[in-house]
Amino acid sequence: MPKPITIPCLIRSPRTTFSLIPSLSPTNEHICNYNTIDDLNVINNVCEDAHRGYKAWFLRPFADRSEVLRAAADLVKKNKENYVDAHMAIGAGRQFAELIAGLAHKIILEHAMPISRPDGEVLKSVMSQLALTVRSPVGPVLSIAPWNAPTVLWARAIAAPLAAGCSVVAKALEKNPVTSYLLAKDFHEAGVDVDALQVVQFAPKDQPEATKRLIEHRRIKKMNFTGSTQLGSKLSEIAGSVLKPTLMELGGKNVQIVTPDADLEKAANALLFSAWLHNGQVCMCLDNCFVHSSVYKDFMKILIKKAKEMANSEVPFRDMEGAEKVHRLVSDALKKGAQTVFGNHRPLDSVFMLPLILSNVNPSMSIYYEETFGPVLSVMSYNNIEEVIDEVNDLKFGLKTSIWSRDVMKAISTAKEIDSGAIHINGSTMHDEATVPHGGVGQSGFGRFNSKWGVNEFSFEKVITANS
């Protein structure tokens, strides 16, 4: 059996020692070891190095920075199998791992484009002979991304700040220490200095304190975090205490609405894809579906037939903690009157779970409001679209909504009333592409990733006036 590889930290500072910690698969197989920084005082050195890296990176000609990001995108595409293997090692299916590796390449390439575009404008002024605005990078950025779709989530968490002219300190997580390392290596090979992109790792027991120190350090000017709403809230509180801006891409309780005139076959296909892709472990995955009562029975027949064709294998959760959460939510719903119309809710004895479809779910159940993050879909009937809009807007999350209707203009009118970061008409909630802004409202976060919107998150509007 080959010896597990060791994933190092990628930092300039030599003034530290490291410990080795194993990273395990969902079935407790040894994936790799990763180096963790022993002395948290080294965080100060890392942040000072990031400041020096920022100044050097920002002062490089814009054409050089754009070319470096293009080269990094090419390397990610060339090394696609490395990213796919790393993702599959923590439980992803090949199709999903390949999908997000391809998207990561496109996202890095897209972020190279705004670098060469105008970044300001000339203003009219009665007090100055010349007044203009320019966009300036905020400075060193702390980036934190999760394990579930690591290639694409780390790609934009790194590429967007770099495109704006910032340096990046990427804080890797124990559930997947490999992908951030692979990306950083490709960016370094493309021409990004180590000071401008560092990767740090800490032992699980040190994560809270290390993260706090990084956020509070005077050299770190902004944080971007993708992950759970619960953790995002805690990190926002720390950042708020030092008046530090953040970009938060958090959880979702995503909804699909099936109207009376919808194409039921297409809506059912999209529903299952949106709910069950990657075992439901994506923030954009579908949780709740509202179907008009006039087509509810027909839709359910189609849905269950397609579910039997699709749900032919079990996919693991990343760990038992995730499996236990989903099992708890389903058990609570069944005790309060929900019914299983597809699948079998059985005692939990492993990280594997077959997909489920529930009916008779109502607001008295936790699963109605809480992000499931598992392959469980709740289908409910409705009579009045305005009531559905109110129910969707009452959810604390607001990331993705899908509306299925042949009357597209009416669906657009409905979309305008819904509080959600994105509404997809006759399309899946699983929608993320390099040229389209991505982010939520409410407890799904704030700020936007991707393309020019992502780059602008890491710069600010600076006014310059001049008189001769």
Side-chain angles (χ1 to χ4, degrees), residues 14-27:
R15 302 175 293 277
T16 188
T17 58
F18 301 95
S19 294
L20 276 181
I21 292 182
S23 180
L24 304 179
S25 75
T27 54

Side-chain angles (χ1 to χ4, degrees), residues 4-120:
I5 61 171
T6 296
I7 303 299
C9 291
L10 296 175
I11 60 176
R12 178 76 69 186
S13 176
R15 302 175 293 277
T16 188
T17 58
F18 301 95
S19 294
L20 276 181
I21 292 182
S23 180
L24 304 179
S25 75
T27 54
N28 290 323
E29 295 175 357
H30 195 170
I31 301 172
C32 67
N33 297 310
Y34 62 99
N35 276 331
T36 60
I37 296 173
D38 289 330
D39 182 4
L40 296 190
N41 291 321
V42 171
I43 288 173
N44 182 64
N45 302 330
V46 169
C47 294
E48 292 295 338
D49 290 341
H51 177 65
R52 285 188 287 273
Y54 152 63
K55 291 194 292 184
W57 173 249
F58 171 56
L59 291 175
R60 289 175 67 170
F62 74 87
D64 286 359
R65 287 187 282 122
S66 180
E67 187 57 38
V68 166
L69 261 68
R70 293 175 190 274
D74 289 342
L75 285 169
V76 170
K77 184 177 182 179
K78 175 185 174 183
N79 298 325
K80 178 180 177 179
E81 279 303 307
N82 294 338
Y83 294 99
V84 171
D85 290 344
H87 198 187
M88 290 178 66
I90 59 171
R94 171 166 283 275
Q95 181 183 13
F96 182 66
E98 289 181 341
L99 176 70
I100 66 163
L103 180 56
H105 160 256
K106 294 175 183 177
I107 278 180
I108 298 170
L109 197 59
E110 177 68 23
H111 281 95
M113 296 180 184
I115 298 175
S116 59
R117 293 171 183 163
D119 59 0

Side-chain angles (χ1 to χ4, degrees), residues 129-341:
Q129 291 174 300
L130 175 65
L132 54 91
T133 63
V134 294
R135 293 206 68 88
S136 295
V138 297
V141 170
L142 172 63
S143 294
I144 306 174
W147 56 267
N148 60 318
T151 316
V152 66
L153 299 181
W154 271 117
R156 66 189 185 196
I158 292 172
L162 287 176
C166 304
S167 61
V168 177
V169 177
K171 192 180 83 68
L173 300 176
E174 65 271 15
K175 288 185 179 181
N176 179 24
V178 180
T179 303
S180 53
Y181 167 77
L182 292 175
L183 278 165
K185 292 291 287 184
D186 280 347
F187 274 96
H188 290 161
E189 184 178 339
V192 178
D193 294 333
V194 173
D195 285 348
L197 173 56
Q198 301 175 82
V199 179
V200 294
Q201 299 170 135
F202 303 94
K205 66 179 178 60
D206 293 330
Q207 288 278 6
E209 178 60 24
T211 306
K212 182 174 184 291
R213 292 193 191 189
L214 284 165
I215 295 171
E216 292 177 343
H217 197 281
R218 68 189 184 95
R219 294 299 192 188
I220 298 296
K221 301 302 182 181
K222 186 166 184 174
M223 172 182 63
N224 75 81
F225 171 79
T226 301
S228 72
T229 296
Q230 182 181 16
L231 182 54
S233 176
K234 293 177 181 178
L235 299 184
S236 292
E237 186 175 351
I238 297 170
S241 70
V242 289
L243 296 180
K244 198 156 292 186
T246 61
L247 190 168
M248 291 279 168
E249 203 274 274
L250 308 176
K253 190 66 180 176
N254 305 304
V255 173
Q256 178 166 309
I257 301 170
V258 180
T259 65
D261 65 346
D263 185 319
L264 302 185
E265 291 275 346
K266 290 182 178 179
N269 281 328
L271 185 68
L272 296 175
F273 171 78
S274 304
W276 291 351
L277 184 66
H278 195 36
N279 210 29
Q281 296 174 114
V282 182
C283 63
M284 299 179 290
C285 279
L286 185 64
D287 284 299
N288 291 349
C289 179
F290 294 90
V291 183
H292 194 271
S293 57
S294 64
V295 294
Y296 181 82
K297 289 183 179 180
D298 291 339
F299 181 77
M300 291 303 291
K301 289 178 182 178
I302 296 170
L303 183 67
I304 292 171
K305 180 177 181 292
K306 292 182 178 295
K308 291 176 180 177
E309 298 169 355
M310 291 180 60
N312 53 14
S313 62
E314 293 179 302
V315 179
F317 285 91
R318 180 62 185 91
D319 51 33
M320 279 301 295
E321 182 181 358
E324 288 168 353
K325 175 193 174 182
V326 175
H327 192 270
R328 171 181 58 80
L329 289 172
V330 174
S331 296
D332 171 75
L334 294 176
K335 287 179 182 177
K336 293 177 179 177
Q339 294 181 343
T340 303
V341 295

